[in-house]
Amino acid sequence: MSTRSFLIIGLGRFGRHVASKLNDMGMQVMAVDKEEKRVEEVLNYVTNAQVGDGTNQDFLSSLGVRNFDVCIVAIGDDFLAALETTSYLKELGAKKVVSRASRDTQRKFLLRNGADDVVYPERDMGEWAAVRYAGDNIFDYMQLDGDFGVFEVGVPSAWVGRTIGEIGVRSHYRMNIVAVKTGRQMDIMTGADYTLEPGQTLMVLGRTKDVTKCFNVR
C-alpha cells in the first residue's frame, strides 16, 4: 500500500479515530483543530498538527491544501463551519474533499459547495449495529452497494460436517460463501465439496435480509 497524505480538520471523536487509524496504516496525517487541547491529544499519532480555524481562508491557504491526497472535514458540532471549510478547501484547489454530515439535507449542501464525498459516522454505525445484532451468529458486517453486504458469520450447528454443495448455500439461501476462516487462517478456495467444521466462521456475500434471516439462529 502506497503512503498517502491526509489533512484532517476537526478533532472530535470522529476526527481522532480517523487520524489514529490512518497512522496505524502508515499514512501521513496533518491534523487541525481550533482547540489547542484537542490538537495536543493527537500529537503522538499524527505527522504534524496545528491549532487553527478551518473557516479562515488565509490559514487554510498556509497549509498547502493542494499537496494532500485527501482533505477530511470532520467538524461535527458546527455545520456552518463544516460547510465553509469544505467550500474554501475546494476553492484552494484541494484534490479530494470528504466531509462529515449527520443528515441528508447537510449532505446536499456539502456536495453543492465542494465536497467530493460525504460520510455519515452516526448513521453508518447505527446501521452496522442494527445488522450486527439482528442475527445471533453475525459477528461483523460491511455494506456494499444497495442492499448487499459482506458478513462474517458463525457456522450453524446444522451445517457442521456437511459440504457447501450439500447445504445449497446459493440456491437455498441466496448468498455466496466467499471465504472460510479457521482461527486466523482464511481459505478462499472453497468449492462445493468443501466440508464445514465446528468453530469456523464464514465470509458470505448476500442481501442483508437474506443473511440476517438465515443466521438468526439461537
Side-chain angles (χ1 to χ4, degrees):
M1 181 184 294
S2 61
T3 300
R4 305 185 77 195
S5 58
F6 291 79
L7 170 62
I8 300 177
I9 300 176
L11 298 174
R13 284 178 294 180
F14 173 63
R16 291 198 303 271
H17 283 306
V18 174
S20 178
K21 183 62 178 178
L22 287 171
N23 176 69
D24 291 342
M25 296 167 65
M27 302 298 162
Q28 300 290 316
V29 180
M30 160 72 85
V32 171
D33 197 282
K34 61 183 180 182
E35 294 187 19
E36 184 175 356
K37 181 180 179 181
R38 288 182 171 182
V39 173
E40 291 174 351
E41 289 173 347
V42 303
L43 287 175
N44 290 333
Y45 53 86
V46 297
T47 311
N48 200 352
Q50 288 195 35
V51 178
D53 186 352
T55 64
N56 185 316
Q57 194 167 12
D58 290 335
F59 170 71
L60 284 182
S61 180
S62 72
L63 299 176
V65 299
R66 293 174 180 267
N67 298 321
F68 295 95
D69 293 303
V70 183
C71 296
I72 300 176
V73 182
I75 302 169
D77 54 358
D78 186 341
F79 177 66
L80 182 58
L83 189 63
E84 287 186 61
T85 302
T86 298
S87 179
Y88 288 151
L89 285 170
K90 209 61 182 178
E91 286 180 18
L92 291 168
K95 296 175 185 175
K96 184 170 184 177
V97 180
V98 179
S99 300
R100 173 184 179 174
S102 59
R103 51 185 182 272
D104 287 337
T105 52
Q106 292 183 354
R107 176 179 181 274
K108 291 177 182 178
F109 280 108
L110 289 166
L111 290 173
R112 288 173 185 169
N113 286 273
D116 297 294
D117 201 0
V118 175
V119 294
Y120 296 80
E122 292 85 0
R123 186 198 67 178
D124 293 345
M125 181 53 67
E127 290 181 358
W128 179 90
V131 172
R132 163 67 177 82
Y133 295 105
D136 296 328
N137 283 335
I138 298 176
F139 304 139
D140 205 353
Y141 154 73
M142 180 179 69
Q143 184 178 359
L144 302 178
D145 290 341
D147 297 329
F148 286 89
V150 177
F151 304 76
E152 182 176 356
V153 298
V155 175
S157 58
W159 292 11
V160 173
R162 302 174 65 191
T163 67
I164 293 174
E166 289 173 341
I167 298 166
V169 176
R170 180 181 296 179
S171 58
H172 293 161
Y173 301 101
R174 296 186 294 186
M175 65 186 75
N176 290 319
I177 295 177
V178 296
V180 178
K181 288 178 66 177
T182 306
R184 294 187 177 182
Q185 288 224 293
M186 182 175 293
D187 187 352
I188 61 173
M189 304 299 291
T190 52
D193 59 347
Y194 187 97
T195 301
L196 299 177
E197 301 175 1
Q200 291 179 322
T201 58
L202 311 175
M203 305 298 293
V204 300
L205 169 65
R207 293 183 185 276
T208 300
K209 63 180 181 180
D210 294 330
V211 176
T212 53
K213 180 181 179 180
C214 177
F215 293 97
N216 189 18
V217 180
R218 297 190 181 279

